[in-house]
Amino acid sequence: MSPRQWFKGNLHTHSTNSDGDAGPQHVAGWYGQHGYDFLVLSDHNHLTVIEDAAEHAGDWPMLLLGEELTVAATGRPVHLNGIGIGARIEPVTRDTVTEALQANVDLVRAAGGLASINHPNYKWAFDDRAMQAVEGVWAFEVFNGHPSTNNLPAGGRPGTEQIWDRLLSGGKRILGVATDDAHHFKGEFGPERANPGRGWVSVEAEACTPAEIMSSLEAGRFYASTGAVIGALKNEKTEIVLEIEPRSDEACTVTFIGSRGRELWRVDGNTARYRPSKLDTYVRAFVQTSRGTRAWTQPVFVSG
Ligand SMILES: [Zn+2]
Ligand SMILES: [Zn+2]
């Protein structure tokens, strides 16, 4: 068995096959030039396949096929990614957000993919109440780099982390991903544009092949990041240990979070350790750096 390594990937991005401003080859090239190991070109209701991708194996990331299933239910946008699917899916709508999510999650699973619910706070479409009853969801976006996705809590509305903790506290086993949802690869980059490079996952796997990456994603052997780098991670029921690799002199704080979003333990420094107790139902770690970058480990389910 080869030792596991970290592989960096973006699970959500667009090209001219939907509403992105650059062709799929340009998009794959951007991610290749910026150190990504794998990429999902997730165009709206379109399966982007680059026929000659094998010829670019050295300069492009490994491409996992995916699609952003995009519908509206009761006038609200319902978007979810099917990751690792083998063929295009025709998404369906239903009379409620919950039913629309469920129907499309079922289609993704039937196509052999992982279903990830995208940007719940985009246009304030829905929150945990619509997601709690949906079965078979693999993950949701705890961070989306598009400027209109309202990741943080404000105005009395829950941020994505609050949504996550409510789902987890309600007994739902759902993972968290960070993504770019990039649309803009051309022209000047800025905070009002949906540029690439803002959110990604780092996956621990034995090799960067579709099968290995899919297997690690499904098992939760990854963390989500907007820049913070975790060099070593033990994420088990008995013990959670993070070793952060700071960039230059950046300072780090790690917070361990449990049921109902409660702070269980906080560590200032680059190494943090927590031993879950029998009273913890789940524990997840959140990293904040002085640079403003963040990282989220996957929840460890302690009971059951
Ligand atoms: Zn979307
Ligand atoms: Zn998108």
Side-chain angles (χ1 to χ4, degrees):
M1 216 165 86
S2 1
R4 291 208 181 114
Q5 307 168 51
W6 291 109
F7 298 103
K8 177 176 178 176
N10 176 30
L11 302 172
H12 185 172
T13 192
H14 296 272
S15 76
T16 46
N17 285 337
S18 58
D19 53 354
D21 70 355
Q25 287 86 353
H26 181 107
V27 174
W30 190 95
Y31 283 98
Q33 284 155 19
H34 290 83
Y36 285 72
D37 300 299
F38 67 95
L39 175 67
V40 180
L41 283 156
S42 56
D43 278 303
H44 296 287
N45 301 338
H46 183 97
L47 190 74
T48 291
V49 181
I50 307 181
E51 297 296 344
D52 63 347
E55 291 168 31
H56 295 269
D59 40 287
W60 287 358
M62 184 269 287
L63 299 173
L64 272 179
L65 295 184
E67 174 182 341
E68 184 173 16
L69 282 69
T70 309
V71 296
T74 63
R76 294 159 189 267
V78 173
H79 297 191
L80 59 119
N81 267 20
I83 295 163
I85 55 176
R88 181 182 174 270
I89 297 169
E90 180 65 43
V92 292
T93 190
R94 292 287 185 268
D95 292 338
T96 68
V97 168
T98 299
E99 288 166 359
L101 284 169
Q102 187 67 65
N104 290 294
V105 166
D106 292 347
L107 290 173
V108 169
R109 283 164 60 88
L114 295 172
S116 181
I117 296 178
N118 295 343
H119 51 61
N121 283 346
Y122 173 61
K123 296 187 192 286
W124 307 111
F126 54 88
D127 61 19
D128 50 284
R129 290 167 297 180
M131 296 162 69
Q132 189 76 51
V134 183
E135 302 287 345
V137 182
W138 163 68
F140 91 116
E141 287 178 332
V142 69
F143 176 88
N144 175 304
H146 190 292
S148 305
T149 51
N150 301 307
N151 297 297
L152 295 175
R157 296 185 187 267
T160 46
E161 280 207 79
Q162 282 73 32
I163 290 174
W164 198 10
D165 284 315
R166 289 179 187 178
L167 290 168
L168 296 168
S169 303
K172 180 152 285 303
R173 296 194 173 206
I174 184 167
L175 307 182
V177 299
T179 73
D180 280 343
D181 198 358
H183 290 69
H184 304 135
F185 293 82
K186 302 204 165 162
E188 207 165 315
F189 282 21
E192 295 303 317
R193 307 192 77 227
N195 297 133
R198 294 177 180 168
W200 58 85
V201 290
S202 276
V203 178
E204 209 169 19
E206 286 173 30
C208 193
T209 61
E212 290 292 332
I213 295 295
M214 284 294 286
S215 153
S216 282
L217 285 172
E218 185 168 18
R221 288 192 294 269
F222 68 92
Y223 66 90
S225 180
T226 66
V229 176
I230 302 173
L233 174 63
K234 179 181 178 187
N235 204 29
E236 294 173 10
K237 276 186 191 186
T238 48
E239 189 178 50
I240 302 171
V241 187
L242 289 80
E243 286 175 31
I244 298 150
E245 290 178 359
R247 284 174 66 178
S248 66
D249 61 348
E250 85 184 353
C252 309
T253 295
V254 179
T255 309
F256 293 92
I257 294 161
S259 192
R260 298 180 198 289
R262 197 163 59 91
E263 182 178 319
L264 304 170
W265 187 242
R266 179 184 284 236
V267 178
D268 288 325
N270 300 333
T271 301
R273 184 184 303 266
Y274 181 80
R275 289 202 173 87
S277 85
K278 285 188 183 135
L279 298 175
D280 294 322
T281 51
Y282 73 89
V283 182
R284 63 179 185 84
F286 170 67
V287 179
Q288 167 96 45
T289 74
S290 53
R291 193 182 280 263
T293 57
R294 293 172 282 163
W296 298 262
T297 66
Q298 300 310 317
V300 168
F301 301 98
V302 182
S303 47

